[in-house]
């Protein structure tokens, strides 16, 4: 675990640390090296002649206030790719709060590397072990709260990322259940409830069953309960957990299948959220639901044209087996609303559509809801956390996109239009109108993409925690 501490003078820093500061910081050493580095218009970085530090990096002042384009993170990523020291000193004397939150999450997330999965032979390199915050004495109490919150958020993100990065031949629905049970067992405030494939059928979750029945690894529904308060409404989070998506009989091409082990990021992030909430000991009641299945091909795989029935009695014509995520979400949303008909809200999280990436890119999660207070609160939380959302329309004009001649609904529009919003329109049928509901499409934000490679990002856990804390 990466720890942190605060200092108010560089003389208190541990020798051989990596110092990262604003170019204009008045707490820097007054010597010729720093004076020369300050003359740079861009990033000034040296590992030579900088004793007692192992490395000094001065970054332009503007980056410390840039919460929109993540300029400071962009500068830090290559610097932390191969750390020169396990000790990092970060100047936080004059930094935007959103930028600080983003940077702290990035730093605490250095606790996870793909090499930790031990699937590739790698040489040992330095790992970040401690963050030393250089601050003014009067800032320390406020910063201590921010650091604690962002460390807890990062712990949840790391748990989700580690699970998502595991190859799908290992990370099956049952594996996810067992890993969640292990993690939750460490917290007395968390308890797990599991439905196996027989119970899924017995409780009428026909959509989850339809998606998972074609795989040799059967589906699971996992509910994680957190009771940080003795009473009050329950907040519900539902995550899509497709541990691998072939597209089913509507088979994806190879290139489109490559990153499909990450189609369970929504579920992994719900687990990470629950772990963060337990660590922060938030005074709320929460249920996190993970809808887990592998969308496989085989003799028992669902077929185009199949009509399946959800646990709320709604029938759905499956006209595209590669639109399976909305099916497992629909059942899980309906199941959650039946367990808690007076829920404060239900928010689902899913890597649902590639269309949302075409609309919003990789920086923004898509938000779809008909509840205006929930929309406003999530939008504000996104801005405050630096994990932003953008609203897409969701109203009755989408009705024709889910019309079916044989069932109550069909799972994809036949005209291939408004794919993201149409999926949300389907989902809204499974949450009672008395319960506020929102859908987050994280297809663009659930992964961090760099140099042609993708790894799990842990988003939107920061957004959801910020929203929770603003809702207390």
């Amino acid at each position: 675990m990466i720890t942190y501490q605060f200092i108010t003078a560089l003389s208190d820093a541990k020798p051989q640390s990596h110092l990262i500061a604003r170019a204009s910081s008045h707490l820097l050493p007054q010597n010729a090296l720093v004076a020369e580095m300050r003359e740079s218009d861009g990033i000034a970085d040296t590992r030579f002649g900088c004793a007692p530090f192992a490395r000094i990096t001065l970054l332009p002042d503007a980056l410390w206030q840039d919460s929109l384009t993540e300029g400071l993170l962009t500068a830090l990523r290559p610097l932390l790719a191969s750390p020169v020291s396990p000790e990092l000193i970060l100047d936080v004397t004059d930094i935007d709060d959103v930028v600080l939150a983003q940077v702290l999450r990035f730093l605490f997330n250095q606790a996870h590397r793909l090499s930790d999965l031990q699937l590739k032979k790698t040489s040992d390199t330095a790992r970040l072990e401690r963050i030393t915050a250089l601050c003014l004495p009067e800032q320390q109490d406020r910063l201590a709260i921010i650091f604690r919150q962002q460390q807890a958020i990062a712990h949840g993100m790391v748990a989700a990322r580690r699970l998502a990065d595991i190859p799908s031949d290992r990370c099956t629905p049952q594996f996810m259940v067992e890993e969640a049970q292990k993690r939750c067992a460490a917290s007395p405030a968390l308890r797990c409830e599991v439905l196996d494939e027989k119970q899924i059928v017995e409780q009428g979750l026909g959509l989850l069953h339809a998606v998972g029945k074609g795989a040799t690894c059967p589906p699971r529904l996992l509910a994680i309960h957190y009771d940080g308060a003795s009473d009050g409404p329950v907040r519900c989070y539902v995550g899509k957990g497709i541990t691998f998506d072939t597209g089913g009989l509507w088979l994806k091409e190879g290139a489109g299948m490559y990153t499909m082990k990450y189609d369970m990021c929504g579920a992994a992030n719900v687990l990470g959220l629950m772990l963060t909430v337990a660590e922060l000991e938030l005074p709320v009641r929460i249920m996190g639901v993970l809808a887990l299945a592998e969308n496989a091909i085989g003799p028992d795989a669902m077929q185009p044209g199949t009509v399946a029935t959800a646990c709320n009695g709604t029938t759905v014509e499956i006209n595209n087996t590669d639109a399976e995520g909305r099916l497992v979400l629909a059942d899980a949303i309906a199941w959650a609303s039946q367990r808690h008909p007076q829920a404060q809200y239900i928010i689902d999280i899913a890597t649902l559509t590639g269309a949302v990436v075409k609309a919003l890119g990789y920086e923004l999660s898509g938000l779809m809801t008909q509840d205006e207070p929930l929309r406003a609160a999530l939008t504000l939380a996104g801005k405050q956390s630096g994990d932003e959302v953008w609203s897409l329309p969701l109203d009755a004009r989408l009705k024709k996109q889910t019309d079916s001649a044989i069932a109550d609904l069909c799972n994809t529009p036949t005209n291939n239009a408004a794919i993201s919003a149409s999926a949300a329109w389907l989902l809204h049928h499974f949450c009672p109108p008395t319960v506020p509901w929102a859908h987050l499409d994280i297809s663009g934000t659930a992964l961090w993409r760099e140099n042609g490679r993708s790894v799990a990002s842990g988003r939107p856990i920061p957004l959801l925690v910020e929203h929770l804390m603003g809702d207390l």
Side-chain angles (χ1 to χ4, degrees):
M1 182 175 73
I2 298 172
T3 60
Y4 63 89
Q5 65 177 9
F6 300 97
I7 60 172
T8 57
L10 285 175
S11 58
D12 297 327
K14 188 173 181 178
Q16 293 302 301
S17 299
H18 180 185
L19 171 62
I20 300 177
R22 293 180 300 114
S24 65
S25 177
H26 68 278
L27 297 181
L28 292 174
Q30 301 300 313
N31 56 37
L33 174 64
V34 171
E36 182 180 354
M37 294 179 72
R38 279 175 166 160
E39 294 177 0
S40 172
D41 293 331
I43 297 172
D45 180 59
T46 184
R47 304 184 197 183
F48 304 101
C50 51
F53 306 105
R55 185 176 191 176
I56 297 177
T57 306
L58 301 187
L59 301 174
D61 288 10
L63 297 183
W64 300 78
Q65 305 297 324
D66 178 13
S67 62
L68 183 63
T69 66
E70 297 187 349
L72 191 56
L73 287 185
T74 300
L76 289 177
R77 286 186 186 278
L79 295 174
L80 273 294
S82 299
V84 299
S85 170
E87 303 277 341
L88 184 144
I89 305 169
L90 183 69
D91 173 17
V92 294
T93 54
D94 186 12
I95 182 171
D96 178 85
D97 282 352
V98 175
V99 176
L100 177 59
Q102 292 172 330
V103 168
L104 290 179
R105 291 195 300 265
F106 165 72
L107 294 176
F108 286 125
N109 264 275
Q110 299 305 304
H112 169 60
R113 294 178 178 177
L114 280 180
S115 59
D116 295 339
L117 300 179
Q118 298 182 340
L119 300 176
K120 180 179 180 179
K121 295 178 181 178
T122 57
S123 57
D124 291 335
T125 58
R127 299 285 292 261
L128 180 62
E129 296 177 4
R130 182 164 58 177
I131 303 165
T132 297
L134 177 64
C135 65
L136 303 175
E138 61 269 23
Q139 294 177 311
Q140 190 164 329
D141 288 345
R142 187 179 71 89
L143 288 171
I145 296 172
I146 296 173
F147 270 67
R148 177 176 178 265
Q149 290 175 346
Q150 298 308 320
Q151 184 187 50
I153 291 169
H155 287 166
M157 295 172 73
V158 166
R161 291 174 56 224
R162 281 178 173 158
L163 192 56
D165 284 334
I166 296 172
S168 57
D169 62 325
R170 302 184 185 191
C171 189
T172 64
Q174 180 60 26
F175 180 90
M176 286 192 67
V177 166
E178 292 171 359
E179 287 299 300
Q181 289 173 326
K182 291 176 187 176
R183 296 302 305 265
C184 292
S187 173
L190 297 174
R191 55 187 173 86
C192 293
E193 174 187 2
V194 184
L195 302 187
D196 63 18
E197 66 271 32
K198 293 181 180 179
Q199 293 166 312
I200 286 170
V201 172
E202 291 169 356
Q203 296 196 23
L205 284 82
L207 304 184
L208 177 57
H209 169 69
V211 173
K213 68 188 179 70
T216 56
C217 307
R220 295 286 185 266
L221 187 82
L222 170 64
I224 305 173
H225 303 274
Y226 171 79
D227 294 317
S230 58
D231 55 17
V234 176
R235 296 158 171 86
C236 297
Y237 298 88
V238 175
K240 171 188 172 184
I242 301 299
T243 57
F244 194 79
D245 183 18
T246 66
L249 295 181
W250 204 291
L251 191 65
K252 295 179 183 288
E253 62 176 12
M257 214 183 295
Y258 179 66
T259 59
M260 285 300 104
K261 73 173 186 178
Y262 290 114
D263 216 15
M264 39 65 76
C265 280
N269 290 337
V270 169
L271 169 61
L273 172 66
M274 301 301 288
L275 296 173
T276 292
V277 167
E279 182 174 342
L280 291 174
E281 300 179 329
L282 297 185
V284 293
R285 298 174 66 206
I286 298 178
M287 180 175 72
V289 181
L290 285 64
L292 306 169
E294 180 183 336
N295 188 23
I297 55 175
D300 296 322
M302 58 180 173
Q303 300 169 343
T306 295
V307 175
T309 304
C311 65
N312 69 348
T314 302
T315 58
V316 179
E317 177 189 4
I318 303 170
N319 57 359
N320 183 340
T321 66
D322 195 21
E324 82 300 325
R326 65 201 69 182
L327 298 176
V328 303
L329 282 176
D331 247 345
I333 291 167
W335 187 86
S337 68
Q338 291 170 355
R339 289 295 300 272
H340 295 291
Q342 304 300 320
Q344 182 155 331
Y345 53 71
I346 297 176
I347 298 174
D348 75 76
I349 307 104
T351 51
L352 205 63
T353 66
V356 83
V357 181
K358 291 181 172 61
L360 302 178
Y362 298 116
E363 312 303 327
L364 297 163
S365 297
L367 166 64
M368 284 145 273
T369 182
Q370 293 183 312
D371 188 89
E372 293 308 317
L374 188 54
R375 184 196 310 279
L378 286 168
T379 301
L380 177 61
K383 292 182 181 297
Q384 292 175 332
S385 64
D387 186 6
E388 291 195 51
V389 298
W390 197 269
S391 288
L392 294 174
L394 185 68
D395 56 45
R397 285 173 289 188
L398 295 164
K399 182 179 183 299
K400 60 182 177 295
Q401 301 296 92
T402 58
D403 282 345
S404 169
I406 195 172
D408 297 325
L409 302 162
C410 69
N411 72 327
T412 55
T414 56
N415 60 9
N416 203 35
I419 298 296
S420 299
S422 296
W425 180 256
L426 174 82
L427 292 175
H428 102 278
H429 291 85
F430 297 86
C431 186
T434 55
V435 177
W437 162 81
H439 165 61
L440 293 174
D441 193 332
I442 60 169
S443 289
T445 55
L447 300 183
W448 167 252
R449 299 161 179 86
E450 187 174 39
N451 299 325
R453 298 180 179 177
S454 298
V455 293
S457 72
R459 293 180 63 187
I461 294 175
L463 161 74
L464 298 174
V465 175
E466 183 71 32
H467 175 247
L468 266 172
M469 293 191 297
D471 194 40
L472 295 179

